[in-house]
Amino acid sequence: MKVYRAHILTCGGTGCHASGSDAVHRAVVQELISRNLSNEIAVVETGCNGFCAAGPIMVIYPEGTFYQYVKPEDVPEIIEEHIIKGRPVKRLMYKEPVTEKTIPHMLDIPFFGKQKLIALKNRGLIDAEKIDEYIARDGYMGAAKALTQMTPDEVIEEVKKSGLRGRGGGGFPTGLKWSFARKSPGDVKYILCNADEGDPGAFMDRSILEADPHAVLEGMIIGGYAIGANEGYIYCRAEYPLAIKRLTIAIDQAKEYGLLGRNILGTDYSLDIFIYQGAGAFVCGEETALMNSIEGKRGMPRPRPPFPATKGLWQKPSVLNNVETFANIPQIILNGGDWYASMGTERSKGTKVFALTGAVNNVGLVEVPMGTPIGDIIFDIGGGIKKGKQYKAAQLGGPSGGCIPAEALNTPTDYEEIVKLGAIMGSGGLIVMDEDTCMVDTAKFFMEFCQEESCGKCTPCREGTKRMIEILKRICDGQGKEGDIELLEELAYTIKDSALCGLGQTAPNPVLSTIRYFRHEYEAHIYEKRCPAVVCSKLFKSPCQHACPIGMDVPAYMALVRANRLTDAFKVMKRTNPFPGVCGRVCPQFCTKKCRRGQLDEPMAIAWIKRFIADNAKRPKIDQVPVTRKQKIAVIGAGPAGLTAAQDLCLRGYKVTVFEELPHAGGMMRYAIPEYRLPRNVIEQEVDDIRALGVEIKTNTRVGRDVSFEQIRKDYDAVVIAVGAHKSWKLDIEGEDLDGVWGAVEFLREVNLGKKVGIGKRVAVVGGGNSAIDAARTAVRLGAKDVTILYRRERKDMPAWENEIVAAEHEGVKIEYLVAPVRLIGKNGKLVGVECQRMRLGEFDRSGRRKPIPIQGSEFTLAVDTIIPAISQNTDASFIPAGSDVALDKWGGIKTEGRAKNRTSAEGVFIAGDAASGPATVVEAIDMGHKTAIDVDAYIRAKNNEPPYKEPPEETIEIPFEVDEEVVETPRAKMPELKKSERMISFKEVELGYSKKAAHREACRCLRCDAEL
Amino acid sequence: MAKLTIEDLKKIKERVEREDQFRAGSKRVKITVHMGTCGIASGAKEILDTFMNEISESNATEVMVTTSGCIGICSREPLATVEEQGKDPIVYEYLTPNKARQIFKQHILGGVVQTEFVMAKGSEHDTKKGVGK
Amino acid sequence: MSAVEKSKTDPGLAEFTAEQLAQVDKIIEANKGKPGSLIPVLEQVQEVCGYLPAAIQKVVSEGLNIPLANVFGVVTFYSFFTMVPRGKHVIRVCLGTACYVRGSQGLLDRLTHILGIEPGGCTEDRNFSLETVRCLGACGLAPVVVIDSDTHGQVKAAKLEQVLAKYN
């Protein structure tokens, strides 16, 4: 092998690559060639070295010098100075670590600091293969104490006093179990350890066996002594080869030291321990099945009684405890039962180990005092949800357990409390699931697991689980029927009541608990054939399309942009979306959250492509639709929901009239969203398309003022209420009648009406949603010097979009987190300040976020002359006369009915958009508009005994299929933006739109998940 | 070997504690590579080999390498703890052979903690918490 | 009758070498008469022969003096035992919850597609067999695919072919 005197390592990881490492690499090679050094110095391109933030990175060996932010022009200097002269280039070296003080202490990291180690006390500290290291940490002192200073009864008493309960899942008091076996007559007894950790997602037993096998042996010695057993077995699954290896070594060492075998520590007590390798059967975790398995039989459970304490292995009295239980025993004996019982809750003592996995940031093993809230484990120790996604549920107790929804995060880890939720403590597998997990699919997964692992002995478990899977499968495949949920529940309770062993009795738990907390997901699958988490692939072609409320065919228009067929792309968009130009700018993009490209690098910029098409396609000519039906429809409100319904009904041949109070159509799109995000001509153009179909829009016509609601109902065959939610919520604090207090929607409406709005110099906005940001950025443009957003939670909890928040910050908006206004201060009727209170985060609320709690005495005053509460909006229903058959709800909004919430209590009066759903998004309003139009049409046809509407065949647009041979990681194309200086003084659109080239490049990133290969 | 008595246990304990006080012995630095199944699967064996190699190549006699089980935070593996005489242990995370080499050269031989790879210093077994002793 | 002797008459044993069969005999001999030895014997025999076809089960049954029905019952009960031959390389996809939640079903589907075999099957060239397992306890690395004794963590479906290329 060739020997080089030095190696130059350039990092070729993605991060460094993106920052230009290949140019550096080339420069090095070039420089070495030109200096004729290629024979002495090797250049190696390495994988990611993890310090991507400082890339491109270069490391030079043998010294191991680490250079960061290396540019090609630095290379000659590095070669000259470092390689030739042996003088490292100081200026490029990694920054001298400021000080080690900046490194957190282990216990300052919540992952470690919040834990309490008993069963895991030796983790990471000792070499598992060296018994001496175990002994040095008080190893075998517990056994020594038990064997030499205590009688078996005293040992049992101590364990009883500790309150220790079986950690394998059953939670049966360990001391009690031991006392039964002790009292059972018989010369031969067995002490058994269950290391058949079959519960998927739990790995604490493996970890203990691997890291601290002697602790388990010591626990078994103490247990064996207590019950009078001279033989013990550890039943360990074959899937854990390292655990078996370390156990074997540990047993040999213990034997050699006389800690196992005859006359342990010179006492009369003798114990031999054997390892029994399980052959892979989940049911063998059940104690009687495990005993059958050790006897060489099929691992089927036996009916009880007789209990193992009287007739266990080989029909002899036996005690079976799990690994974690045994690992606790030596500490209990050493420190006393009272010490152990001083931790935990009333009925659950000591600590419990949890295997924290799934969608959390810190995956690992966690030992906490019993009683620690589940939310603390997931959010403090686990560090929250990966990629900032939404918490959905955590599965506790594996296939026998249940799920913990957001509203139950405050539940303490306590056997009984957890059972109340419909879950079980189980062995402590805690699998965190985020918004991308489908709960029906999860239930099916666990059911399949139990079905596959059912030993087949009893019918309820063998057959019942099969029938349940059939139902779950058909629900996931889109074949679910009315009544399926109830049928599942009925089967579940029957199996629970009649199965022979724990496996069968608990198998239905995941189904029951997902139905309990996520019934709406089951219903979405059954009634809407929709998987809200976009997992059940039989229900959709591509994830983006399924995630879109109006099912826009994203892959199709991506393909058409790639093929440069913009008009066809535009037509595809218009099939489901009358406002593509609007959505291309302001859609929250449910689609991108599910985009598969995101798993590779970044999700597609779907909205930006949509906008590109809408802005650049040559628009097809629109012909007026002939009126073919005699019924007339009125729509109140010309927002996205009302206009969509109007369009659809017009297309079905109805004469439709839209009544709009304000001077322009567009609703919230026109009057709540600021112009710099959504230029008015974009709305105009799309509204004009709807007019061109024949929809009549009467602006400046307020129902209830210019025409009465009752009159409209008389004149039209059906009425669609789509009035939106244009009334800001009040803060409900002192001083709201002062001059200078604006509701966000009202403020934005006045501005968007073109009125001169007198805004002060110092403005506070209250809230964390998009309208708060809109109000703040608008205030900046109106000349406010100082704009502060007051938000009562933390930034990560803000419902506003991240890019909007960043843009606001760029424009100088300050955001105060964990602050809420408590009083508005006035002088001569004018606002002069707002008194605020600081908040801290307390328990979890129903949304799974921590509740802000006021800190007493933290009040401070902010001098402001304008305050804009933007906390939420509701519907102004004052146009409905008192005593109308259109009923209102208890908050003064309009009461909705039906599964789709698009009917009112009055016949022939429908409702759509924000007025029905509460403040939502444009795309959701469009969706409701579509659905309501279908419903109106169906209502009219049913009334006239007409057959249902038949969709006319749509124009065929051939969608090309062209994808890249090889997928190369490519970041999404950037969106050019208006310069900051120009933004602050005008309402010009900030995002400038893709160029043709950028759009084409971006469209090529589409993975075409819709394609059937 | 003869059967142990409790006295023997105590003697072993004292002896190991004395030896384990590598600080007092000839070893100046102790590296512990955390090798549970999780650690091994994420490449802890390679890290162990890298340290071994570095020691033999540099003829560093005052450095010892040992292994231990998982310290719990599997998602940051491979992990290794570096303990220098009289100083807080330093836990390094997401190790790669390259990082291990850099740590060996810069920290273990050079005495400069490589903060960018550090997860934490100290130990979760600190006495002030009164757990695990 | 020992396996070595039996192989002279039973064509079902033809595929095993004399050495393999001698080892089988040795395992049986060492465990004869021990209570509860069936499962350990089968584990060791499978280690030697790769799988447990009917002919081998007959040898074990006679050797340990346990009815063939019981042997068959145990072999089919435990997932560790297999009656189909294994490939040179065994691919095991973890379908434990943590892996499932992070997309291991997609990996399995992709492998089924690439190899053209269902889980439990073996490729025609006997290079790969494909199996599923319930949790390997390496949940921190989910999704996990184990090939022979190498654990591959955080596997992406798109990268599977590259990974497989290393095993030939």
Side-chain angles (χ1 to χ4, degrees), chain A residues 49 106 115 138 210 262, chain B residues 3 13 37 99 129:
Chain A
N49 117 347
M106 281 283 258
Q115 297 196 45
D138 288 332
E210 285 174 7
R262 296 203 61 79
Chain B
K3 252 180 208 24
K13 181 175 154 125
T37 294
K99 288 188 196 175
K129 258 190 92 191

Side-chain angles (χ1 to χ4, degrees), chain A residues 371-386:
Chain A
T372 305
I374 293 168
D376 285 9
I377 299 178
I378 295 168
F379 287 90
D380 296 344
I381 298 178
I385 309 302
K386 272 208 168 132

